[in-house]
């Protein structure tokens, strides 16, 4: 069972080409996943869609069942899992809502903010040091976010606010995962995330429930499958090559999302969104490269994958 939240240790023999190709495959899966969510449109309430995506995705937890049952959990672990499940559930529901309100490219570009929140959170809560270069990179990323949103020049919609909330909550979830894997296996951490997020969303889903069609269930299961495949391919990429090599490849997700939004959903190509997303990703890539050069192993590694 792989861990979509924490990169695996690097192998001794780096294979850059393999890492790049696996990351390309991961990016395609994530873009297809987001496009399928958007294709559901107003046919189902976003909260119900988010709940069913996780409920159907529990099937992918089954390979970790033995590890899950064998794990010896303390009260601290249960508290951490419950808190992470609640935070992550909010992030997932906000993300599904944002997908119905703003263009695909904007969702993808703003998703790049998550590692920035992780860097800030690691400094505030995990005691990591923020060097001057890292602070500068974070500042550049925030400028990128301002370029995307352009407050004062256009209306900030509820979808944009939802996406800001998504990146913030998923960043918090990532930090809790880092704390959890310190003394638990990744399989246990991932399995508990799926279970707790599903449980946390039950009351919200019940409040908006409408009987789904078989077609809707099939699409949601496909969404869960593409999300799982994307995280698996990302893990293979991180095993094959350093994250400093594979992370810049994720820029293609923004290009693909922009083209898909224009060609399939009739969304206009907003050059400001592309420019802002490029700035954010460039700052994240710089942080990754800089830490790789300095070989600061304890530093929390940035991750751009949507934790959905």
């Amino acid at each position: 069972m792989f861990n979509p939240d924490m990169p695996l240790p690097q192998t001794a023999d780096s294979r850059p080409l393999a890492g790049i190709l696996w990351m390309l495959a991961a990016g395609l899966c994530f873009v297809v996943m987001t496009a399928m969510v958007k294709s559901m449109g107003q046919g189902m309430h976003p909260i119900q869609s988010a709940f069913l995506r996780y409920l159907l995705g529990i099937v992918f937890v089954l390979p970790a069942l033995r590890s899950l049952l064998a794990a010896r959990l303390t009260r601290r672990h249960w508290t951490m899992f419950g808190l992470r499940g609640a935070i992550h559930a909010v992030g997932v529901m906000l993300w599904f809502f944002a997908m119905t309100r703003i263009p695909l490219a904007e969702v993808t570009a703003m998703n790049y903010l998550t590692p920035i929140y992780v860097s800030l959170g690691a400094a505030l809560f995990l005691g990591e040091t923020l060097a001057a270069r890292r602070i500068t990179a974070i500042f550049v990323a925030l400028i990128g976010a301002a370029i995307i949103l352009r407050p004062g020049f256009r209306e900030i919609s509820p979808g944009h606010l939802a996406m800001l909330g998504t990146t913030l909550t998923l960043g918090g979830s990532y930090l809790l995962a880092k704390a959890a894997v310190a003394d638990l296996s990744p399989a246990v951490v991932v399995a508990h995330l799926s279970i707790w997020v599903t449980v946390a969303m039950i009351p919200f889903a019940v409040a908006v429930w409408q009987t789904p069609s078989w077609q809707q269930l099939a699409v949601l299961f496909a969404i869960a499958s593409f999300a799982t495949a994307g995280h698996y391919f990302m893990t293979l990429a991180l095993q094959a090559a350093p994250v400093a090599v594979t992370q810049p490849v994720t820029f293609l997700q923004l290009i693909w999302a922009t083209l898909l939004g224009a060609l399939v959903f009739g969304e206009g190509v907003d050059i400001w969104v592309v420019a802002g997303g490029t700035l954010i990703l460039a700052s994240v890539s710089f942080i990754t490269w800089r830490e790789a050069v300095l070989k600061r192993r304890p530093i929390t590694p940035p991750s751009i994958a949507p934790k959905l």
Side-chain angles (χ1 to χ4, degrees):
M1 184 72 177
F2 61 92
N3 180 2
D5 294 287
M6 297 297 294
L8 297 181
Q10 305 298 333
T11 55
D13 299 322
S14 178
R15 295 175 291 124
L17 181 58
I20 289 171
L21 292 176
W22 282 124
M23 190 60 81
L24 282 172
L28 282 171
C29 287
F30 291 138
V31 171
V32 171
M33 175 194 72
T34 54
M36 293 182 76
V37 171
K38 193 168 189 66
S39 70
M40 297 190 69
Q42 304 296 328
M44 179 183 292
H45 196 284
I47 290 178
Q48 184 176 344
S49 297
F51 168 72
L52 288 174
R53 172 264 178 268
Y54 261 84
L55 181 65
L56 295 171
I58 285 182
V59 65
F60 299 111
V61 175
L62 295 179
L65 187 59
R66 180 177 297 180
S67 299
L68 190 64
L69 295 175
R72 295 183 178 180
L73 303 179
T74 65
R75 179 179 296 181
R76 172 179 170 272
H77 292 139
W78 286 111
T79 301
M80 191 180 302
F81 286 146
L83 177 61
R84 188 186 182 209
I87 292 174
H88 203 97
V90 172
V92 171
M93 289 186 287
L94 288 173
W95 186 83
F96 271 75
F97 173 79
M99 284 298 303
T100 66
R101 294 294 188 275
I102 60 177
L104 194 62
E106 295 193 29
V107 171
T108 303
M110 293 182 70
N111 184 67
Y112 293 153
L113 282 172
T114 297
I116 301 303
Y117 292 139
V118 169
S119 291
L120 291 173
L124 291 174
F125 303 112
L126 301 181
E128 294 183 4
T129 302
L130 278 180
R133 290 184 180 87
R134 199 167 191 177
I135 294 174
T136 301
I138 290 172
F139 181 71
V140 170
L142 295 178
I143 292 176
I147 291 174
I148 294 172
L149 296 174
R150 302 192 297 285
F153 294 92
R154 70 164 180 173
E155 180 184 1
I156 305 300
S157 73
H160 292 114
L161 296 178
M163 199 58 210
L164 287 173
T166 297
T167 54
L168 180 61
T169 51
L170 294 186
S173 174
Y174 184 101
L175 290 173
L176 285 169
K178 179 179 174 66
V181 296
D183 49 9
L184 291 172
S185 73
V188 172
V189 174
V190 174
H192 271 280
L193 175 66
S194 297
I195 294 169
W196 282 93
V197 170
T198 304
V199 171
M201 286 193 287
I202 287 176
F204 300 97
V206 169
V208 299
W209 186 264
Q210 291 183 342
T211 304
S213 67
W214 287 108
Q215 181 181 359
Q216 289 173 324
L217 290 175
V219 171
L220 285 165
F221 183 75
I223 290 170
S225 300
F226 274 105
T228 302
H231 288 304
Y232 180 63
F233 293 150
M234 183 185 69
T235 302
L236 293 177
L238 294 171
Q239 286 179 320
V243 68
V245 172
T246 59
Q247 183 133 274
V249 180
T250 60
F251 174 73
L252 290 175
Q253 292 182 33
L254 180 57
I255 301 300
W256 291 331
T258 301
L259 292 175
L260 199 60
L263 298 176
V264 178
F265 299 104
E267 299 171 347
V269 178
D270 191 335
I271 191 63
W272 295 107
V273 172
V274 176
T278 302
L279 270 182
I280 296 171
L281 182 57
S283 67
V284 174
S285 297
F286 174 79
I287 291 172
T288 306
W289 170 81
R290 183 64 186 171
E291 300 305 338
V293 169
L294 297 178
K295 296 181 180 180
R296 291 179 176 176
R297 300 303 181 193
I299 295 295
T300 302
S303 173
I304 51 75
K307 318 299 188 299
L308 302 163

